[in-house]
Amino acid sequence: MPAQQKKIIFCIAGVLSFACALGTAAAIGTQLWIKGTILCKTGALLVNATGQELEKFIGKIQYGLFYGERVRQCGLGGRPFQFSFFPDLLKIIPASIHVSVILFCTVLIVFALVGAGFFMFNAFGSPYETLHGPVGLYLWSFIACSCGCLIMILFSSEVKIHHLSEKIANFKEGSFTFKTHSEHFANSFWIILVCSLVHFLNALLIRFAGFEFPFSKSKDSGTITGAADLMY
C-alpha cells in the first residue's frame, strides 16, 4: 500500500482512539449508566394496588459510577433522593467490582490516548519496529479493547448478579421495601461498547494498511528458514 494511504489510515485510527478517550472520560462523569424504575413493594401490598393504581408506587432511578438519583413513589407523590457511591453506598455495594470498573475505565482512557499518540507518530514520523511500530499499535488497541470488554462484563455482573439497583433503592429505608421494576443500560454504558468496537476496528485498519498480525508467520518464511537450517 502506498505510504500516503498508510498515513491516512493511521490518522483515522488516531482520531478514533482520541475520540474514544474523550468519550470514556465523559461517560465516567455522568449518571447515565443505568436507568430504571423501582416498585414500592410494601406500599403496593398495603393497599393491594393493581393496574393503574400500581403506577402511584413506581418510582425512578438512574446512576453512574460515582453518583445517582432515585425518586421514591409510595402513593404520596415522588420524593427525590440523590446519593453518592463514595462513601455513602460503599458498605452495601460490591466495592471490589465497582472500584475495578473505575480502574479499568482509567486504563482505557490512558491506553486510548497512548494509542492515539502512536498512531499519529507512525503517520507523520519514522516508525520503529518495536513499540513505536505496528506491533505496538496492535498492543495498544488490544489492551484498550480488552479493558472495554472487562468494564462491560464487570458492570453488568454488578447490576444483574448483585442486584445493584435494589440495593441502592433500599438504602436507608426502614419500613419500606423496594423492588426493581425495570432497568436498562443507558448512554454511557453503550459508549464503552462503541469504544471497544472502535479499538477492534483500529486493529483491522492496521492489518488493512499491510502489517501482519503479531505472532503470525507466513508459510514461505518458514520454508526458507527450514531450508537454511538443513544447509547448515
Coordinates of all heavy atoms in Angstrom, one line a residue, residues 38 69 87 124 139 174 185 188 192 213:
I38 N -38.4 1.6 40.0 CA -38.4 0.8 41.3 C -39.9 0.8 41.8 O -40.5 1.8 41.8 CB -37.4 1.3 42.3 CG1 -37.6 2.8 42.5 CG2 -36.0 1.0 41.9 CD1 -36.7 3.4 43.6
E69 N -29.4 9.2 41.3 CA -30.6 9.8 41.9 C -31.8 8.8 41.8 O -31.9 8.1 40.8 CB -31.0 11.1 41.1 CG -32.2 11.8 41.7 CD -32.6 13.0 40.9 OE1 -32.0 13.2 39.8 OE2 -33.4 13.8 41.4
P87 N -18.7 8.2 50.0 CA -18.6 7.0 50.8 C -20.0 6.4 51.2 O -20.0 5.5 51.9 CB -17.9 7.5 52.0 CG -18.4 8.8 52.2 CD -18.7 9.4 50.9
F124 N 3.1 10.5 10.9 CA 3.9 11.7 10.4 C 5.4 11.5 10.8 O 6.2 12.4 10.4 CB 3.4 12.9 11.1 CG 2.0 13.2 10.7 CD1 0.9 13.0 11.6 CD2 1.7 13.8 9.5 CE1 -0.4 13.3 11.2 CE2 0.4 14.1 9.1 CZ -0.7 13.8 10.0
L139 N -0.7 -3.7 20.1 CA -0.7 -3.9 21.5 C -1.6 -2.9 22.2 O -2.5 -3.2 23.0 CB 0.7 -3.7 22.1 CG 0.9 -3.8 23.6 CD1 0.5 -5.2 24.1 CD2 2.3 -3.5 24.0
G174 N -36.2 2.1 56.1 CA -36.5 1.2 57.3 C -37.7 0.3 57.1 O -37.6 -0.9 57.0
F185 N -29.5 -0.5 30.4 CA -28.3 0.2 30.3 C -28.5 1.5 29.5 O -29.2 1.5 28.5 CB -27.2 -0.6 29.7 CG -26.8 -1.8 30.5 CD1 -27.3 -3.1 30.1 CD2 -26.1 -1.7 31.6 CE1 -26.9 -4.2 30.9 CE2 -25.7 -2.8 32.4 CZ -26.2 -4.1 32.0
S188 N -24.1 6.0 28.6 CA -22.7 5.9 29.0 C -22.2 4.5 28.9 O -21.0 4.2 28.5 CB -22.4 6.4 30.4 OG -22.7 7.8 30.5
I192 N -19.0 2.8 26.1 CA -17.9 1.9 26.3 C -18.0 0.8 25.3 O -16.9 0.4 24.8 CB -18.0 1.3 27.8 CG1 -18.0 2.4 28.8 CG2 -16.9 0.3 28.0 CD1 -16.8 3.3 28.8
F213 N -0.6 -9.4 11.5 CA -0.9 -9.6 12.9 C 0.3 -10.1 13.7 O 1.1 -10.8 13.1 CB -2.1 -10.5 13.2 CG -3.4 -10.0 12.7 CD1 -4.1 -10.6 11.6 CD2 -4.0 -8.8 13.3 CE1 -5.3 -10.1 11.2 CE2 -5.2 -8.3 12.8 CZ -5.8 -8.9 11.8

